[in-house]
């Protein structure tokens, strides 16, 4: 009895420490976060600040100085037809890419949550693509989808020219969407699966007793209860698709054929590093960042109202 009471006191005291635990040194959280803060300052805030600074100056390409020009760079960018075409292609790529990646992740997450055959293996395999860089993934897919030695070579033998992403813009976009979906849906899958597995089992049992089938339970129970996860994956994928597309385009298409896949992020690279138009590239970078912030803010303003955080 005494031993049981003693162990019970230890449990209660440990529980009390967990309930009221805190850092004895009030500055410890700051010290632990300093490495991340340094990385963010060096590789995010300083470059973004320089981009805004350069967007109001005419920068010489090889360090020859700069001259303040005000809004002239923005006027030049807005008058550039290639800028608007690249922006339109970026919007199209983002909308279709997010729909495919989130939709595919949701389908696989629902299947894995229902403990179908090989679901445990699927959960492990779906995490692997996130460990591969987008550039390496682009090289893999450019080989797999090559019209002369990839998986479609047999179709080209039967129907010559049916698949040629090197020349056909439609095939090129299809190849990009396949690679982007494979790369992006792993993180969405993990988040959505966690949300699905967090739904109380009693709700599924009660719905089954009432005669609701799997599809009815999906639409009436699962989807409404994972709206927080759906919201966050859409926000993350929209922001990520704008940036991650650069590595895929650089390794797979180089913006071609023609300028069919020359998205805004790749146009910025070509203008800045190939054309040495530092001011123009910085201006487009500032506009792209403002666009991403605006789209993300609008999602929080209009879409978050429909998110149900309580279960």
């Amino acid at each position: 009895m005494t031993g049981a009471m003693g162990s019970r006191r230890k449990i209660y005291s440990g529980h009390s420490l967990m309930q009221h635990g805190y850092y004895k040194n009030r500055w410890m959280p700051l010290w632990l976060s300093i490495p991340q803060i340094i990385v963010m300052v060096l590789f995010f805030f300083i470059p973004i600040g320089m981009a805004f600074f350069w967007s109001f100056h005419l920068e010489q390409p090889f360090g020859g100085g700069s001259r303040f020009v005000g809004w002239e760079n923005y006027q030049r960018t807005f008058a550039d037809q290639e800028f608007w075409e690249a922006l339109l292609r970026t919007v199209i790529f983002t909308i279709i890419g997010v729909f495919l990646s989130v939709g595919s992740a949701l389908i696989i997450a629902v299947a894995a949550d229902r403990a179908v055959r090989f679901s445990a293996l699927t959960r492990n395999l779906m995490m692997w693509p996130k460990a591969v860089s987008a550039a390496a993934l682009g090289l893999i897919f450019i080989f797999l989808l090559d019209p002369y030695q990839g998986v479609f070579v047999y179709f080209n033998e039967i129907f010559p020219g049916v698949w040629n992403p090197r020349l056909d813009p439609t095939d090129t976009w299809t190849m990009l969407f396949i690679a982007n979906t494979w790369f992006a849906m792993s993180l969405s899958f993990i988040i959505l699966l966690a949300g699905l597995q967090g739904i109380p089992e009693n709700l599924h049992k009660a719905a089954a007793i009432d005669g609701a089938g799997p599809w009815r339970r999906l639409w009436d129970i699962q989807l409404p209860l994972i709206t927080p996860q759906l919201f966050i994956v859409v926000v993350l994928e929209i922001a990520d698709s704008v940036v991650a597309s650069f590595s895929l385009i650089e390794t797979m298409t180089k913006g071609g054929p023609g300028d069919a896949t020359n998205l805004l992020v790749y146009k910025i690279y070509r203008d800045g590093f190939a054309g040495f138009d530092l001011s123009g590239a910085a201006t487009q970078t500032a506009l792209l960042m403002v666009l991403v912030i605006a789209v993300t803010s609008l999602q929080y303003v209009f879409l978050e109202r429909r998110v149900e955080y309580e279960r």
Side-chain angles (χ1 to χ4, degrees), residues 137-152:
L137 195 69
L139 293 175
I140 294 172
F141 272 94
I142 196 64
F143 174 77
L144 289 176
L145 302 179
D146 187 86
Y148 303 109
Q149 56 185 355
V151 295
F152 290 109

Side-chain angles (χ1 to χ4, degrees), residues 25-42:
N25 186 348
R26 59 182 299 183
W27 299 105
M28 182 60 68
L30 178 61
W31 289 114
L32 294 176
S33 60
I34 280 180
Q36 181 64 27
I37 294 175
I38 294 175
V39 171
M40 292 181 63
V41 169
L42 291 178

Side-chain angles (χ1 to χ4, degrees), residues 145-280:
L145 302 179
D146 187 86
Y148 303 109
Q149 56 185 355
V151 295
F152 290 109
V153 64
Y154 301 105
F155 292 97
N156 279 335
E157 291 178 355
I158 300 174
F159 306 101
V162 69
W163 172 258
N164 193 349
R166 298 179 181 179
L167 299 176
D168 191 341
T170 302
D171 295 343
T172 309
W173 277 95
T174 303
M175 179 178 64
L176 275 178
F177 285 132
I178 292 174
N180 181 73
T181 301
W182 179 253
F183 174 73
M185 69 178 177
S186 58
L187 178 61
S188 299
F189 166 78
I190 296 171
I191 296 175
L192 294 175
L193 181 61
L196 289 170
Q197 293 184 339
I199 298 176
E201 187 66 24
N202 294 335
L203 295 178
H204 291 283
K205 294 179 179 179
I209 293 175
D210 290 338
W215 287 107
R216 175 61 63 181
R217 295 199 298 270
L218 173 64
W219 288 106
D220 293 345
I221 297 177
Q222 290 178 297
L223 289 182
L225 291 179
I226 64 170
T227 49
Q229 287 77 22
L230 284 171
F231 174 72
I232 193 63
V233 296
V234 170
V235 172
L236 291 176
E237 290 301 333
I238 287 178
D240 189 60
S241 63
V242 176
V243 180
S245 60
F246 170 81
S247 299
L248 295 178
I249 294 172
E250 171 64 14
T251 54
M252 299 179 73
T253 69
K254 304 291 185 181
D259 276 338
T261 58
N262 186 22
L263 304 188
L264 185 55
V265 65
Y266 195 72
K267 182 180 183 301
I268 293 172
Y269 164 76
R270 292 208 304 193
D271 290 350
F273 289 91
F276 298 106
D277 184 9
L278 302 182
S279 299

